[in-house]
PDB file of all heavy atoms in Angstrom:
ATOM      1  N   GLY O 521       3.920   6.495  -5.384  1.00 97.00           N
ATOM      2  CA  GLY O 521       4.422   6.628  -6.746  1.00 97.00           C
ATOM      3  C   GLY O 521       3.382   6.259  -7.788  1.00 97.00           C
ATOM      4  O   GLY O 521       3.211   6.966  -8.789  1.00 97.00           O
ATOM      5  N   GLU O 522       2.689   5.156  -7.572  1.00 98.00           N
ATOM      6  CA  GLU O 522       1.660   4.721  -8.530  1.00 98.00           C
ATOM      7  C   GLU O 522       0.549   5.748  -8.622  1.00 98.00           C
ATOM      8  O   GLU O 522       0.060   6.073  -9.721  1.00 98.00           O
ATOM      9  CB  GLU O 522       1.108   3.363  -8.087  1.00 98.00           C
ATOM     10  CG  GLU O 522       0.142   2.719  -9.078  1.00 98.00           C
ATOM     11  CD  GLU O 522      -1.300   3.188  -8.897  1.00 98.00           C
ATOM     12  OE1 GLU O 522      -1.650   3.645  -7.779  1.00 98.00           O
ATOM     13  OE2 GLU O 522      -2.083   3.089  -9.871  1.00 98.00           O
ATOM     14  N   ARG O 523       0.151   6.303  -7.497  1.00 97.00           N
ATOM     15  CA  ARG O 523      -0.913   7.315  -7.486  1.00 97.00           C
ATOM     16  C   ARG O 523      -0.468   8.573  -8.232  1.00 97.00           C
ATOM     17  O   ARG O 523      -1.245   9.182  -8.964  1.00 97.00           O
ATOM     18  CB  ARG O 523      -1.292   7.656  -6.042  1.00 97.00           C
ATOM     19  CG  ARG O 523      -2.397   8.703  -5.920  1.00 97.00           C
ATOM     20  CD  ARG O 523      -2.571   9.127  -4.477  1.00 97.00           C
ATOM     21  NE  ARG O 523      -3.043   8.028  -3.650  1.00 97.00           N
ATOM     22  CZ  ARG O 523      -3.046   8.043  -2.316  1.00 97.00           C
ATOM     23  NH1 ARG O 523      -2.560   9.089  -1.669  1.00 97.00           N
ATOM     24  NH2 ARG O 523      -3.509   7.030  -1.628  1.00 97.00           N
ATOM     25  N   MET O 524       0.797   8.954  -8.030  1.00 98.00           N
ATOM     26  CA  MET O 524       1.321  10.133  -8.716  1.00 98.00           C
ATOM     27  C   MET O 524       1.282   9.938 -10.232  1.00 98.00           C
ATOM     28  O   MET O 524       0.889  10.841 -10.983  1.00 98.00           O
ATOM     29  CB  MET O 524       2.756  10.398  -8.248  1.00 98.00           C
ATOM     30  CG  MET O 524       3.090  11.871  -8.097  1.00 98.00           C
ATOM     31  SD  MET O 524       4.818  12.161  -7.602  1.00 98.00           S
ATOM     32  CE  MET O 524       5.065  10.930  -6.328  1.00 98.00           C
ATOM     33  N   LEU O 525       1.704   8.775 -10.684  1.00 98.00           N
ATOM     34  CA  LEU O 525       1.706   8.486 -12.112  1.00 98.00           C
ATOM     35  C   LEU O 525       0.292   8.457 -12.685  1.00 98.00           C
ATOM     36  O   LEU O 525       0.058   8.898 -13.810  1.00 98.00           O
ATOM     37  CB  LEU O 525       2.387   7.141 -12.373  1.00 98.00           C
ATOM     38  CG  LEU O 525       3.899   7.101 -12.130  1.00 98.00           C
ATOM     39  CD1 LEU O 525       4.382   5.663 -12.035  1.00 98.00           C
ATOM     40  CD2 LEU O 525       4.628   7.838 -13.245  1.00 98.00           C
ATOM     41  N   ARG O 526      -0.628   7.979 -11.883  1.00 97.00           N
ATOM     42  CA  ARG O 526      -2.007   7.833 -12.366  1.00 97.00           C
ATOM     43  C   ARG O 526      -2.770   9.150 -12.360  1.00 97.00           C
ATOM     44  O   ARG O 526      -3.558   9.431 -13.267  1.00 97.00           O
ATOM     45  CB  ARG O 526      -2.716   6.783 -11.506  1.00 97.00           C
ATOM     46  CG  ARG O 526      -4.172   6.534 -11.870  1.00 97.00           C
ATOM     47  CD  ARG O 526      -4.703   5.283 -11.178  1.00 97.00           C
ATOM     48  NE  ARG O 526      -4.250   5.161  -9.808  1.00 97.00           N
ATOM     49  CZ  ARG O 526      -4.834   5.758  -8.761  1.00 97.00           C
ATOM     50  NH1 ARG O 526      -5.874   6.567  -8.958  1.00 97.00           N
ATOM     51  NH2 ARG O 526      -4.397   5.568  -7.533  1.00 97.00           N
ATOM     52  N   THR O 527      -2.546   9.962 -11.325  1.00 97.00           N
ATOM     53  CA  THR O 527      -3.343  11.186 -11.167  1.00 97.00           C
ATOM     54  C   THR O 527      -2.595  12.456 -11.553  1.00 97.00           C
ATOM     55  O   THR O 527      -3.220  13.491 -11.783  1.00 97.00           O
ATOM     56  CB  THR O 527      -3.806  11.337  -9.711  1.00 97.00           C
ATOM     57  OG1 THR O 527      -2.661  11.581  -8.869  1.00 97.00           O
ATOM     58  CG2 THR O 527      -4.530  10.077  -9.236  1.00 97.00           C
ATOM     59  N   GLY O 528      -1.256  12.383 -11.564  1.00 97.00           N
ATOM     60  CA  GLY O 528      -0.469  13.577 -11.827  1.00 97.00           C
ATOM     61  C   GLY O 528      -0.293  14.465 -10.618  1.00 97.00           C
ATOM     62  O   GLY O 528       0.221  15.581 -10.719  1.00 97.00           O
ATOM     63  N   ARG O 529      -0.695  13.987  -9.436  1.00 96.00           N
ATOM     64  CA  ARG O 529      -0.615  14.790  -8.211  1.00 96.00           C
ATOM     65  C   ARG O 529       0.234  14.076  -7.152  1.00 96.00           C
ATOM     66  O   ARG O 529       0.227  12.848  -7.074  1.00 96.00           O
ATOM     67  CB  ARG O 529      -2.010  15.057  -7.640  1.00 96.00           C
ATOM     68  CG  ARG O 529      -2.893  15.910  -8.526  1.00 96.00           C
ATOM     69  CD  ARG O 529      -4.242  16.180  -7.886  1.00 96.00           C
ATOM     70  NE  ARG O 529      -5.010  14.944  -7.711  1.00 96.00           N
ATOM     71  CZ  ARG O 529      -5.208  14.348  -6.550  1.00 96.00           C
ATOM     72  NH1 ARG O 529      -4.665  14.836  -5.432  1.00 96.00           N
ATOM     73  NH2 ARG O 529      -5.938  13.241  -6.476  1.00 96.00           N
ATOM     74  N   LEU O 530       0.905  14.886  -6.334  1.00 97.00           N
ATOM     75  CA  LEU O 530       1.673  14.355  -5.205  1.00 97.00           C
ATOM     76  C   LEU O 530       0.773  14.349  -3.983  1.00 97.00           C
ATOM     77  O   LEU O 530       0.453  15.390  -3.424  1.00 97.00           O
ATOM     78  CB  LEU O 530       2.906  15.234  -4.956  1.00 97.00           C
ATOM     79  CG  LEU O 530       3.771  14.890  -3.734  1.00 97.00           C
ATOM     80  CD1 LEU O 530       4.249  13.449  -3.788  1.00 97.00           C
ATOM     81  CD2 LEU O 530       4.949  15.849  -3.648  1.00 97.00           C
ATOM     82  N   ASP O 531       0.328  13.162  -3.594  1.00 96.00           N
ATOM     83  CA  ASP O 531      -0.610  13.013  -2.481  1.00 96.00           C
ATOM     84  C   ASP O 531      -0.088  11.903  -1.570  1.00 96.00           C
ATOM     85  O   ASP O 531      -0.038  10.737  -1.962  1.00 96.00           O
ATOM     86  CB  ASP O 531      -1.993  12.666  -3.024  1.00 96.00           C
ATOM     87  CG  ASP O 531      -3.025  12.467  -1.922  1.00 96.00           C
ATOM     88  OD1 ASP O 531      -2.704  12.720  -0.739  1.00 96.00           O
ATOM     89  OD2 ASP O 531      -4.154  12.042  -2.243  1.00 96.00           O
ATOM     90  N   LEU O 532       0.295  12.263  -0.346  1.00 97.00           N
ATOM     91  CA  LEU O 532       0.876  11.293   0.583  1.00 97.00           C
ATOM     92  C   LEU O 532      -0.155  10.574   1.445  1.00 97.00           C
ATOM     93  O   LEU O 532       0.192   9.643   2.169  1.00 97.00           O
ATOM     94  CB  LEU O 532       1.879  11.990   1.513  1.00 97.00           C
ATOM     95  CG  LEU O 532       3.062  12.727   0.882  1.00 97.00           C
ATOM     96  CD1 LEU O 532       4.027  13.174   1.977  1.00 97.00           C
ATOM     97  CD2 LEU O 532       3.781  11.871  -0.144  1.00 97.00           C
ATOM     98  N   ASP O 533      -1.407  10.983   1.411  1.00 96.00           N
ATOM     99  CA  ASP O 533      -2.410  10.448   2.328  1.00 96.00           C
ATOM    100  C   ASP O 533      -2.699   8.971   2.042  1.00 96.00           C
ATOM    101  O   ASP O 533      -3.296   8.613   1.027  1.00 96.00           O
ATOM    102  CB  ASP O 533      -3.704  11.261   2.202  1.00 96.00           C
ATOM    103  CG  ASP O 533      -4.760  10.821   3.212  1.00 96.00           C
ATOM    104  OD1 ASP O 533      -4.429  10.014   4.121  1.00 96.00           O
ATOM    105  OD2 ASP O 533      -5.917  11.265   3.096  1.00 96.00           O
ATOM    106  N   LEU O 534      -2.279   8.117   2.973  1.00 96.00           N
ATOM    107  CA  LEU O 534      -2.519   6.675   2.853  1.00 96.00           C
ATOM    108  C   LEU O 534      -3.408   6.170   3.991  1.00 96.00           C
ATOM    109  O   LEU O 534      -3.384   4.989   4.320  1.00 96.00           O
ATOM    110  CB  LEU O 534      -1.187   5.917   2.867  1.00 96.00           C
ATOM    111  CG  LEU O 534      -0.202   6.241   1.736  1.00 96.00           C
ATOM    112  CD1 LEU O 534       1.054   5.400   1.883  1.00 96.00           C
ATOM    113  CD2 LEU O 534      -0.833   6.015   0.375  1.00 96.00           C
ATOM    114  N   SER O 535      -4.174   7.075   4.562  1.00 95.00           N
ATOM    115  CA  SER O 535      -5.004   6.695   5.715  1.00 95.00           C
ATOM    116  C   SER O 535      -5.997   5.588   5.370  1.00 95.00           C
ATOM    117  O   SER O 535      -6.368   4.791   6.242  1.00 95.00           O
ATOM    118  CB  SER O 535      -5.746   7.920   6.262  1.00 95.00           C
ATOM    119  OG  SER O 535      -6.512   8.555   5.245  1.00 95.00           O
ATOM    120  N   ALA O 536      -6.410   5.508   4.111  1.00 95.00           N
ATOM    121  CA  ALA O 536      -7.350   4.457   3.721  1.00 95.00           C
ATOM    122  C   ALA O 536      -6.723   3.070   3.843  1.00 95.00           C
ATOM    123  O   ALA O 536      -7.435   2.072   4.021  1.00 95.00           O
ATOM    124  CB  ALA O 536      -7.823   4.696   2.283  1.00 95.00           C
ATOM    125  N   ASP O 537      -5.407   2.990   3.758  1.00 94.00           N
ATOM    126  CA  ASP O 537      -4.696   1.706   3.859  1.00 94.00           C
ATOM    127  C   ASP O 537      -4.023   1.534   5.221  1.00 94.00           C
ATOM    128  O   ASP O 537      -3.187   0.631   5.389  1.00 94.00           O
ATOM    129  CB  ASP O 537      -3.624   1.595   2.766  1.00 94.00           C
ATOM    130  CG  ASP O 537      -4.226   1.512   1.371  1.00 94.00           C
ATOM    131  OD1 ASP O 537      -5.253   0.841   1.216  1.00 94.00           O
ATOM    132  OD2 ASP O 537      -3.651   2.124   0.451  1.00 94.00           O
ATOM    133  N   ARG O 538      -4.380   2.375   6.164  1.00 95.00           N
ATOM    134  CA  ARG O 538      -3.687   2.374   7.453  1.00 95.00           C
ATOM    135  C   ARG O 538      -3.747   1.008   8.141  1.00 95.00           C
ATOM    136  O   ARG O 538      -2.726   0.510   8.623  1.00 95.00           O
ATOM    137  CB  ARG O 538      -4.288   3.437   8.366  1.00 95.00           C
ATOM    138  CG  ARG O 538      -3.672   3.477   9.757  1.00 95.00           C
ATOM    139  CD  ARG O 538      -4.202   4.644  10.570  1.00 95.00           C
ATOM    140  NE  ARG O 538      -3.694   4.630  11.921  1.00 95.00           N
ATOM    141  CZ  ARG O 538      -3.923   5.588  12.825  1.00 95.00           C
ATOM    142  NH1 ARG O 538      -4.661   6.643  12.486  1.00 95.00           N
ATOM    143  NH2 ARG O 538      -3.429   5.500  14.045  1.00 95.00           N
ATOM    144  N   GLU O 539      -4.891   0.395   8.181  1.00 95.00           N
ATOM    145  CA  GLU O 539      -5.029  -0.880   8.898  1.00 95.00           C
ATOM    146  C   GLU O 539      -4.152  -1.959   8.271  1.00 95.00           C
ATOM    147  O   GLU O 539      -3.437  -2.688   8.979  1.00 95.00           O
ATOM    148  CB  GLU O 539      -6.493  -1.325   8.894  1.00 95.00           C
ATOM    149  CG  GLU O 539      -6.756  -2.570   9.731  1.00 95.00           C
ATOM    150  CD  GLU O 539      -8.231  -2.900   9.823  1.00 95.00           C
ATOM    151  OE1 GLU O 539      -9.063  -2.028   9.538  1.00 95.00           O
ATOM    152  OE2 GLU O 539      -8.541  -4.063  10.180  1.00 95.00           O
ATOM    153  N   LEU O 540      -4.173  -2.035   6.947  1.00 95.00           N
ATOM    154  CA  LEU O 540      -3.385  -3.065   6.277  1.00 95.00           C
ATOM    155  C   LEU O 540      -1.888  -2.797   6.400  1.00 95.00           C
ATOM    156  O   LEU O 540      -1.098  -3.719   6.634  1.00 95.00           O
ATOM    157  CB  LEU O 540      -3.782  -3.143   4.800  1.00 95.00           C
ATOM    158  CG  LEU O 540      -4.994  -4.011   4.459  1.00 95.00           C
ATOM    159  CD1 LEU O 540      -5.350  -3.879   2.997  1.00 95.00           C
ATOM    160  CD2 LEU O 540      -4.734  -5.478   4.826  1.00 95.00           C
ATOM    161  N   LEU O 541      -1.484  -1.539   6.245  1.00 95.00           N
ATOM    162  CA  LEU O 541      -0.059  -1.218   6.354  1.00 95.00           C
ATOM    163  C   LEU O 541       0.450  -1.431   7.777  1.00 95.00           C
ATOM    164  O   LEU O 541       1.595  -1.854   7.970  1.00 95.00           O
ATOM    165  CB  LEU O 541       0.184   0.228   5.914  1.00 95.00           C
ATOM    166  CG  LEU O 541       0.171   0.453   4.402  1.00 95.00           C
ATOM    167  CD1 LEU O 541       0.151   1.933   4.071  1.00 95.00           C
ATOM    168  CD2 LEU O 541       1.382  -0.219   3.754  1.00 95.00           C
ATOM    169  N   THR O 542      -0.393  -1.168   8.749  1.00 94.00           N
ATOM    170  CA  THR O 542      -0.012  -1.436  10.138  1.00 94.00           C
ATOM    171  C   THR O 542       0.179  -2.934  10.353  1.00 94.00           C
ATOM    172  O   THR O 542       1.109  -3.370  11.051  1.00 94.00           O
ATOM    173  CB  THR O 542      -1.083  -0.899  11.103  1.00 94.00           C
ATOM    174  OG1 THR O 542      -1.208   0.515  10.932  1.00 94.00           O
ATOM    175  CG2 THR O 542      -0.710  -1.198  12.550  1.00 94.00           C
ATOM    176  N   ALA O 543      -0.693  -3.721   9.737  1.00 95.00           N
ATOM    177  CA  ALA O 543      -0.576  -5.176   9.847  1.00 95.00           C
ATOM    178  C   ALA O 543       0.712  -5.660   9.182  1.00 95.00           C
ATOM    179  O   ALA O 543       1.398  -6.557   9.697  1.00 95.00           O
ATOM    180  CB  ALA O 543      -1.784  -5.847   9.204  1.00 95.00           C
ATOM    181  N   VAL O 544       1.067  -5.082   8.046  1.00 96.00           N
ATOM    182  CA  VAL O 544       2.317  -5.456   7.379  1.00 96.00           C
ATOM    183  C   VAL O 544       3.509  -5.135   8.274  1.00 96.00           C
ATOM    184  O   VAL O 544       4.404  -5.963   8.483  1.00 96.00           O
ATOM    185  CB  VAL O 544       2.467  -4.730   6.023  1.00 96.00           C
ATOM    186  CG1 VAL O 544       3.860  -4.985   5.447  1.00 96.00           C
ATOM    187  CG2 VAL O 544       1.399  -5.191   5.046  1.00 96.00           C
ATOM    188  N   ALA O 545       3.538  -3.920   8.814  1.00 94.00           N
ATOM    189  CA  ALA O 545       4.654  -3.496   9.659  1.00 94.00           C
ATOM    190  C   ALA O 545       4.795  -4.370  10.898  1.00 94.00           C
ATOM    191  O   ALA O 545       5.908  -4.563  11.415  1.00 94.00           O
ATOM    192  CB  ALA O 545       4.470  -2.041  10.067  1.00 94.00           C
ATOM    193  N   ALA O 546       3.689  -4.899  11.372  1.00 94.00           N
ATOM    194  CA  ALA O 546       3.710  -5.765  12.565  1.00 94.00           C
ATOM    195  C   ALA O 546       3.960  -7.228  12.216  1.00 94.00           C
ATOM    196  O   ALA O 546       4.031  -8.081  13.109  1.00 94.00           O
ATOM    197  CB  ALA O 546       2.387  -5.630  13.321  1.00 94.00           C
ATOM    198  N   GLY O 547       4.093  -7.532  10.927  1.00 95.00           N
ATOM    199  CA  GLY O 547       4.313  -8.919  10.520  1.00 95.00           C
ATOM    200  C   GLY O 547       3.071  -9.770  10.623  1.00 95.00           C
ATOM    201  O   GLY O 547       3.153 -10.997  10.702  1.00 95.00           O
ATOM    202  N   GLU O 548       1.912  -9.125  10.586  1.00 95.00           N
ATOM    203  CA  GLU O 548       0.646  -9.846  10.764  1.00 95.00           C
ATOM    204  C   GLU O 548      -0.018 -10.213   9.443  1.00 95.00           C
ATOM    205  O   GLU O 548      -1.018 -10.934   9.439  1.00 95.00           O
ATOM    206  CB  GLU O 548      -0.314  -9.005  11.604  1.00 95.00           C
ATOM    207  CG  GLU O 548       0.193  -8.749  13.018  1.00 95.00           C
ATOM    208  CD  GLU O 548      -0.658  -7.745  13.773  1.00 95.00           C
ATOM    209  OE1 GLU O 548      -1.590  -7.188  13.155  1.00 95.00           O
ATOM    210  OE2 GLU O 548      -0.386  -7.522  14.969  1.00 95.00           O
ATOM    211  N   LEU O 549       0.505  -9.700   8.331  1.00 95.00           N
ATOM    212  CA  LEU O 549      -0.038 -10.052   7.026  1.00 95.00           C
ATOM    213  C   LEU O 549       0.847 -11.142   6.419  1.00 95.00           C
ATOM    214  O   LEU O 549       2.070 -11.004   6.420  1.00 95.00           O
ATOM    215  CB  LEU O 549      -0.063  -8.829   6.110  1.00 95.00           C
ATOM    216  CG  LEU O 549      -0.914  -8.933   4.843  1.00 95.00           C
ATOM    217  CD1 LEU O 549      -2.396  -8.895   5.206  1.00 95.00           C
ATOM    218  CD2 LEU O 549      -0.585  -7.798   3.879  1.00 95.00           C
ATOM    219  N   PRO O 550       0.274 -12.224   5.912  1.00 95.00           N
ATOM    220  CA  PRO O 550       1.097 -13.279   5.313  1.00 95.00           C
ATOM    221  C   PRO O 550       2.003 -12.724   4.212  1.00 95.00           C
ATOM    222  O   PRO O 550       1.610 -11.812   3.476  1.00 95.00           O
ATOM    223  CB  PRO O 550       0.055 -14.250   4.739  1.00 95.00           C
ATOM    224  CG  PRO O 550      -1.166 -14.023   5.565  1.00 95.00           C
ATOM    225  CD  PRO O 550      -1.164 -12.554   5.885  1.00 95.00           C
ATOM    226  N   TRP O 551       3.199 -13.278   4.128  1.00 96.00           N
ATOM    227  CA  TRP O 551       4.145 -12.799   3.124  1.00 96.00           C
ATOM    228  C   TRP O 551       3.570 -12.883   1.714  1.00 96.00           C
ATOM    229  O   TRP O 551       3.792 -11.981   0.890  1.00 96.00           O
ATOM    230  CB  TRP O 551       5.435 -13.599   3.197  1.00 96.00           C
ATOM    231  CG  TRP O 551       6.336 -13.372   2.011  1.00 96.00           C
ATOM    232  CD1 TRP O 551       6.640 -14.264   1.021  1.00 96.00           C
ATOM    233  CD2 TRP O 551       7.016 -12.157   1.676  1.00 96.00           C
ATOM    234  NE1 TRP O 551       7.467 -13.703   0.090  1.00 96.00           N
ATOM    235  CE2 TRP O 551       7.720 -12.386   0.471  1.00 96.00           C
ATOM    236  CE3 TRP O 551       7.102 -10.911   2.274  1.00 96.00           C
ATOM    237  CZ2 TRP O 551       8.494 -11.422  -0.150  1.00 96.00           C
ATOM    238  CZ3 TRP O 551       7.876  -9.936   1.663  1.00 96.00           C
ATOM    239  CH2 TRP O 551       8.557 -10.188   0.465  1.00 96.00           C
ATOM    240  N   THR O 552       2.830 -13.937   1.415  1.00 95.00           N
ATOM    241  CA  THR O 552       2.275 -14.076   0.069  1.00 95.00           C
ATOM    242  C   THR O 552       1.361 -12.904  -0.267  1.00 95.00           C
ATOM    243  O   THR O 552       1.338 -12.442  -1.425  1.00 95.00           O
ATOM    244  CB  THR O 552       1.488 -15.388  -0.068  1.00 95.00           C
ATOM    245  OG1 THR O 552       0.510 -15.471   0.996  1.00 95.00           O
ATOM    246  CG2 THR O 552       2.421 -16.593   0.023  1.00 95.00           C
ATOM    247  N   GLU O 553       0.620 -12.398   0.720  1.00 96.00           N
ATOM    248  CA  GLU O 553      -0.270 -11.263   0.468  1.00 96.00           C
ATOM    249  C   GLU O 553       0.523  -9.970   0.323  1.00 96.00           C
ATOM    250  O   GLU O 553       0.213  -9.130  -0.535  1.00 96.00           O
ATOM    251  CB  GLU O 553      -1.295 -11.138   1.598  1.00 96.00           C
ATOM    252  CG  GLU O 553      -2.289 -12.288   1.658  1.00 96.00           C
ATOM    253  CD  GLU O 553      -3.367 -12.075   2.703  1.00 96.00           C
ATOM    254  OE1 GLU O 553      -3.732 -10.902   2.943  1.00 96.00           O
ATOM    255  OE2 GLU O 553      -3.839 -13.072   3.282  1.00 96.00           O
ATOM    256  N   ALA O 554       1.533  -9.794   1.163  1.00 96.00           N
ATOM    257  CA  ALA O 554       2.372  -8.602   1.058  1.00 96.00           C
ATOM    258  C   ALA O 554       3.102  -8.594  -0.277  1.00 96.00           C
ATOM    259  O   ALA O 554       3.210  -7.556  -0.957  1.00 96.00           O
ATOM    260  CB  ALA O 554       3.373  -8.552   2.210  1.00 96.00           C
ATOM    261  N   GLN O 555       3.610  -9.749  -0.674  1.00 96.00           N
ATOM    262  CA  GLN O 555       4.323  -9.871  -1.941  1.00 96.00           C
ATOM    263  C   GLN O 555       3.398  -9.563  -3.119  1.00 96.00           C
ATOM    264  O   GLN O 555       3.785  -8.842  -4.064  1.00 96.00           O
ATOM    265  CB  GLN O 555       4.885 -11.285  -2.077  1.00 96.00           C
ATOM    266  CG  GLN O 555       5.757 -11.495  -3.301  1.00 96.00           C
ATOM    267  CD  GLN O 555       6.314 -12.903  -3.360  1.00 96.00           C
ATOM    268  OE1 GLN O 555       5.633 -13.877  -3.017  1.00 96.00           O
ATOM    269  NE2 GLN O 555       7.567 -13.037  -3.775  1.00 96.00           N
ATOM    270  N   ALA O 556       2.186 -10.083  -3.056  1.00 97.00           N
ATOM    271  CA  ALA O 556       1.225  -9.825  -4.127  1.00 97.00           C
ATOM    272  C   ALA O 556       0.894  -8.336  -4.211  1.00 97.00           C
ATOM    273  O   ALA O 556       0.711  -7.783  -5.312  1.00 97.00           O
ATOM    274  CB  ALA O 556      -0.047 -10.640  -3.892  1.00 97.00           C
ATOM    275  N   TRP O 557       0.834  -7.674  -3.057  1.00 97.00           N
ATOM    276  CA  TRP O 557       0.548  -6.236  -3.008  1.00 97.00           C
ATOM    277  C   TRP O 557       1.667  -5.454  -3.708  1.00 97.00           C
ATOM    278  O   TRP O 557       1.404  -4.576  -4.530  1.00 97.00           O
ATOM    279  CB  TRP O 557       0.409  -5.813  -1.554  1.00 97.00           C
ATOM    280  CG  TRP O 557      -0.214  -4.458  -1.323  1.00 97.00           C
ATOM    281  CD1 TRP O 557      -0.511  -3.514  -2.264  1.00 97.00           C
ATOM    282  CD2 TRP O 557      -0.600  -3.914  -0.062  1.00 97.00           C
ATOM    283  NE1 TRP O 557      -1.060  -2.401  -1.660  1.00 97.00           N
ATOM    284  CE2 TRP O 557      -1.132  -2.616  -0.319  1.00 97.00           C
ATOM    285  CE3 TRP O 557      -0.545  -4.384   1.253  1.00 97.00           C
ATOM    286  CZ2 TRP O 557      -1.606  -1.796   0.709  1.00 97.00           C
ATOM    287  CZ3 TRP O 557      -1.019  -3.570   2.271  1.00 97.00           C
ATOM    288  CH2 TRP O 557      -1.543  -2.291   2.001  1.00 97.00           C
ATOM    289  N   VAL O 558       2.902  -5.811  -3.368  1.00 97.00           N
ATOM    290  CA  VAL O 558       4.045  -5.127  -3.979  1.00 97.00           C
ATOM    291  C   VAL O 558       4.063  -5.351  -5.487  1.00 97.00           C
ATOM    292  O   VAL O 558       4.235  -4.399  -6.271  1.00 97.00           O
ATOM    293  CB  VAL O 558       5.370  -5.622  -3.363  1.00 97.00           C
ATOM    294  CG1 VAL O 558       6.565  -5.070  -4.144  1.00 97.00           C
ATOM    295  CG2 VAL O 558       5.462  -5.209  -1.905  1.00 97.00           C
ATOM    296  N   GLU O 559       3.891  -6.587  -5.926  1.00 97.00           N
ATOM    297  CA  GLU O 559       3.943  -6.887  -7.354  1.00 97.00           C
ATOM    298  C   GLU O 559       2.810  -6.200  -8.107  1.00 97.00           C
ATOM    299  O   GLU O 559       2.986  -5.729  -9.240  1.00 97.00           O
ATOM    300  CB  GLU O 559       3.898  -8.396  -7.585  1.00 97.00           C
ATOM    301  CG  GLU O 559       5.133  -9.133  -7.086  1.00 97.00           C
ATOM    302  CD  GLU O 559       6.418  -8.669  -7.773  1.00 97.00           C
ATOM    303  OE1 GLU O 559       6.343  -8.124  -8.900  1.00 97.00           O
ATOM    304  OE2 GLU O 559       7.498  -8.845  -7.184  1.00 97.00           O
ATOM    305  N   SER O 560       1.648  -6.114  -7.474  1.00 97.00           N
ATOM    306  CA  SER O 560       0.527  -5.417  -8.100  1.00 97.00           C
ATOM    307  C   SER O 560       0.840  -3.942  -8.287  1.00 97.00           C
ATOM    308  O   SER O 560       0.556  -3.359  -9.348  1.00 97.00           O
ATOM    309  CB  SER O 560      -0.738  -5.582  -7.248  1.00 97.00           C
ATOM    310  OG  SER O 560      -1.801  -4.807  -7.768  1.00 97.00           O
ATOM    311  N   LEU O 561       1.430  -3.327  -7.275  1.00 97.00           N
ATOM    312  CA  LEU O 561       1.794  -1.916  -7.370  1.00 97.00           C
ATOM    313  C   LEU O 561       2.848  -1.693  -8.454  1.00 97.00           C
ATOM    314  O   LEU O 561       2.795  -0.709  -9.198  1.00 97.00           O
ATOM    315  CB  LEU O 561       2.319  -1.416  -6.023  1.00 97.00           C
ATOM    316  CG  LEU O 561       1.256  -1.194  -4.940  1.00 97.00           C
ATOM    317  CD1 LEU O 561       1.919  -0.986  -3.580  1.00 97.00           C
ATOM    318  CD2 LEU O 561       0.392   0.025  -5.277  1.00 97.00           C
TER     319      LEU O 561
END
């Protein structure tokens, strides 16, 4: 959503964040970091 608002394009490719998002899904990223990511977005 943030990318769409910024660029005006619908682009689903999140491969650049794959490692971090995989860590979030596995519960391997501290909640404080995940929370900060969400609030930043």
Side-chain angles (χ1 to χ4, degrees):
E522 187 274 337
R523 180 188 295 167
M524 218 182 316
L525 291 164
R526 179 168 41 84
T527 67
R529 295 182 296 106
L530 175 56
D531 179 7
L532 302 188
D533 184 9
L534 299 181
S535 55
D537 293 321
R538 178 174 176 175
E539 186 174 343
L540 275 174
L541 283 169
T542 299
V544 172
E548 297 171 355
L549 195 72
W551 167 249
T552 53
E553 293 185 32
Q555 185 178 38
W557 195 351
V558 171
E559 293 299 337
S560 174
L561 286 168

